[in-house]
Amino acid sequence: MSVDACLAVRDGTVKFGENTVLKAVNLDIRHGEIHGLIGENGAGKSTLGKVFGGYYPLTSGAVTAFGEQKTDWDTPTALQYGVAIMHQELQLVPSLTVAQNVYLGAEDSAFGLLKKNERSRLEEMMAQCGLVLDPDARTESLTIAEQQKIEILRSLARDARVIVMDEPTSSLSKGEVDRLHAIMRRLRDEGRTIIYVTHFLQDILDVSDRVTVMRNGEIVSTADTSEQTKETLVEAMLGDGKSQTPFPPKVRSTATRVALSVRDLRAANGIQLDSLEIREGEIVGFAGLVGSGRTEMARAIVGADPASGTVAVDGDPLATRSIRGAIDRKLVMVPEDRRKQGLVMSLVASANIALPHMGQYAKQGLLNRTKERAVAQGLIDEFAVRPNDVGGDVSNYSGGNQQKVLLGKWLAEDPRVVIFDEPTRGVDVGARETIHNAIAELAARGVAVLLISSEIDEVLGLAHRVLLVDRGRIVGEVDADDTDQAAV
């Protein structure tokens, strides 16, 4: 640890099951600097930020804080050393007021009694930092951007020496971003340290003193930001720009029939999808940053989130805007989080595969287990799931095999339209190739595919057309075969 460092990680490795997301990372964070962490989705930057904030424990290695090495670094310990983290995923209590959320766990008290002066404290702090909210407003009534301001104020309220900001500007306007950057500079000038995790390269160039680029769980470079440009940062993030596995041959569909049509889709979270058409046999990709609205668009299309507008399959509008209504019309979505949204971890493989299709395996309320297992076994064989066991406990499967079960679950009944959200996140090379081939084969059979992936090479390698998504809207379209990663 260098003499001017307040935080450091040495040989820091983080594993989630069999998936290694940080690989022997070494990094010093200096006193009184704004240190940017950047990289593609899945590069490990948010994980490293959460390690510094004590949210993720190291599998091996150690964190050194203000000269003291800690092998048991966690959130309470981080707070004791003056390190606070502002999560990308909002950590708020919806039923509490703004003031109560800001000072939750940091209330003033005397003789064991709360002084209940959060409102006046918040007003004083907001006057200093320039972020303005109604202290008495219920958090659940606020927009995402306003709730993100609460997270920023919570970090400031802890009077932290080091603040880890994980994607703090994803829902802020340009003016609000400028005000946040002014706050960050003021905190730095006061001697505090900011670890700034973001996808926005211009923000890094505008406000950070040093920048660390990560790729595949490893640190590629750390340098003074004044020596960097967008081009050098992109080059470091992408490396050779090549996928780990070859993509299947891309065959363009000659069909003219539109399988999925979306018109005037509007949702409370800001989604505004005016028009989308995907022909049968066509793979259309969504490309955009985290927070751009890609997943929210997909969820609105399948009815997972309420939205107005028209969604039609083969020209026939869905009468019921719900997940069940979409499934009945053979419009399905493979979600990005297989453990929380995709699979029931307490059920075996065959039950997970059958879950959305119970009506096909039941008669007069009785489940035909033989049919359920037969269908599941066929899909397990097709996707080479290991172990090859319909009664296997999916909670013990590797990430890649869990993902294969999830694909089998949604491909069991010959869907007409499939939306894939991050289909190869956290899977190994073999599973990645299997999934790529499955997507290409679906399109070859005439299925319309909408592909969402944070790996730009995956979108370009599989999709025929790529739609660029920003702040809940489609802002452009490119031909996947005539565009490179840097341009996207």
Side-chain angles (χ1 to χ4, degrees):
M1 182 173 181
S2 62
V3 294
D4 58 350
C6 57
L7 278 180
V9 62
R10 288 290 175 266
D11 298 321
T13 297
V14 173
K15 293 184 177 182
F16 298 139
E18 297 180 1
N19 188 26
T20 302
V21 292
L22 285 186
K23 306 170 185 176
V25 165
N26 292 282
L27 181 64
D28 287 0
I29 305 296
R30 296 172 181 169
H31 290 277
E33 74 168 347
I34 299 174
H35 194 115
L37 288 180
I38 65 168
E40 289 191 281
N41 297 115
K45 58 187 182 300
S46 286
T47 300
L48 181 55
K50 289 177 179 178
V51 166
F52 280 126
Y55 192 75
Y56 284 159
L58 289 172
T59 305
S60 61
V63 171
T64 300
F66 300 96
E68 297 184 32
Q69 183 171 302
K70 308 293 294 185
T71 55
D72 56 348
W73 187 254
D74 55 17
T75 302
T77 306
L79 288 172
Q80 289 174 13
Y81 280 84
V83 182
I85 182 168
M86 198 191 88
H87 296 278
Q88 178 181 358
E89 304 87 3
L90 300 177
Q91 309 282 309
L92 304 174
V93 182
S95 59
L96 295 184
T97 67
V98 171
Q100 289 169 333
N101 263 298
V102 168
Y103 289 100
L104 187 62
E107 300 89 348
D108 277 345
S109 63
F111 306 107
L113 300 175
L114 296 179
K115 291 184 177 181
K116 296 186 177 181
N117 60 349
E118 294 87 5
R119 192 184 197 283
S120 60
R121 294 170 66 193
L122 178 57
E123 287 178 335
E124 181 179 351
M125 184 172 64
M126 288 192 299
Q128 294 175 351
C129 71
L131 290 172
V132 179
L133 290 170
D134 178 1
D136 299 321
R138 293 279 180 184
T139 300
E140 59 193 354
S141 69
L142 303 180
T143 66
I144 296 298
E146 290 170 328
Q147 292 182 26
Q148 198 148 23
K149 290 182 186 179
I150 299 177
E151 286 281 12
I152 297 169
L153 291 166
R154 283 181 66 176
S155 297
L156 299 178
R158 268 64 184 170
D159 197 30
R161 292 189 284 178
V162 180
I163 301 175
V164 181
M165 294 186 174
D166 191 359
E167 299 288 354
T169 65
S170 59
S171 299
L172 300 183
S173 68
K174 179 63 168 64
E176 290 168 333
V177 170
D178 291 341
R179 284 193 288 275
L180 174 61
H181 286 176
I183 293 167
M184 294 166 65
R185 293 186 185 99
R186 177 175 59 81
L187 293 171
R188 175 196 60 193
D189 294 344
E190 292 174 355
R192 307 188 204 217
T193 299
I194 307 292
I195 301 174
Y196 190 15
V197 182
T198 183
H199 283 85
F200 298 105
L201 302 186
Q202 191 58 54
D203 289 354
I204 288 292
L205 294 171
D206 287 345
V207 77
S208 71
D209 301 299
R210 289 196 301 152
V211 56
T212 291
V213 180
M214 300 190 68
R215 186 171 68 239
N216 298 326
E218 299 177 307
I219 291 178
V220 176
S221 65
T222 297
D224 291 343
T225 309
S226 60
E227 301 172 356
Q228 303 298 310
T229 65
K230 271 189 178 181
E231 289 71 25
T232 61
L233 294 177
V234 168
E235 182 180 356
M237 287 168 56
L238 297 181
D240 59 15
K242 295 180 180 178
S243 173
Q244 291 180 310
T245 58
F247 291 100
K250 191 182 297 186
V251 179
R252 288 188 177 271
S253 172
T254 58
T256 57
R257 186 178 184 180
V258 175
L260 175 68
S261 174
V262 182
R263 293 286 184 275
D264 300 322
L265 197 68
R266 300 288 186 271
N269 55 15
I271 295 303
Q272 295 186 22
L273 180 54
D274 295 326
S275 177
L276 172 66
E277 289 187 349
I278 305 178
R279 299 188 305 275
E280 58 184 13
E282 185 180 32
I283 303 174
V284 172
F286 272 178
L289 302 174
V290 168
S292 63
R294 300 168 306 171
T295 295
E296 289 78 5
M297 280 188 184
R299 289 177 58 85
I301 290 171
V302 299
D305 292 336
S308 62
T310 302
V311 176
V313 176
D314 291 326
D316 189 9
L318 272 62
T320 304
R321 294 300 312 282
S322 65
I323 294 176
R324 172 47 58 188
I327 293 173
D328 290 343
R329 295 296 308 282
K330 296 188 179 297
L331 164 60
V332 301
M333 176 177 174
V334 180
E336 62 179 330
D337 191 332
R338 56 181 169 264
R339 297 184 67 88
K340 292 182 179 179
Q341 300 173 334
L343 299 173
V344 180
M345 305 309 292
S346 58
L347 295 182
V348 298
S350 61
N352 266 289
I353 290 172
L355 196 57
H357 321 290
M358 298 296 284
Q360 304 297 317
Y361 309 128
K363 187 175 183 180
Q364 296 181 339
L366 297 177
L367 186 62
N368 186 335
R369 294 287 187 184
T370 301
K371 185 176 181 181
E372 174 193 272
R373 291 191 184 97
V375 172
Q377 188 64 60
L379 289 162
I380 286 172
D381 292 342
E382 179 181 349
F383 289 108
V385 177
R386 297 291 180 268
N388 188 295
D389 179 11
V390 294
D393 184 353
V394 296
S395 64
N396 293 327
Y397 285 15
S398 68
N401 283 296
Q402 288 177 355
Q403 191 72 5
K404 291 177 184 179
V405 173
L406 179 58
L407 261 66
K409 171 181 176 177
W410 290 115
L411 303 184
E413 286 192 37
D414 295 324
R416 191 76 180 104
V417 182
V418 182
I419 301 174
F420 292 95
D421 193 359
E422 304 288 2
T424 60
R425 173 178 288 169
V427 305
D428 60 30
V429 174
R432 180 183 173 93
E433 187 169 6
T434 298
I435 293 168
H436 287 169
N437 288 333
I439 293 172
E441 288 168 7
L442 279 174
R445 297 205 310 259
V447 177
V449 174
L450 176 58
L451 172 66
I452 301 170
S453 176
S454 297
E455 297 184 41
I456 299 174
D457 70 321
E458 185 169 63
V459 176
L460 295 177
L462 292 172
H464 303 111
R465 290 188 292 130
V466 177
L467 302 178
L468 309 179
V469 180
D470 182 40
R471 303 181 192 278
R473 296 172 174 82
I474 293 176
V475 296
E477 178 177 337
V478 298
D479 188 313
D481 295 334
D482 297 327
T483 309
D484 61 22
Q485 292 189 63
V488 173

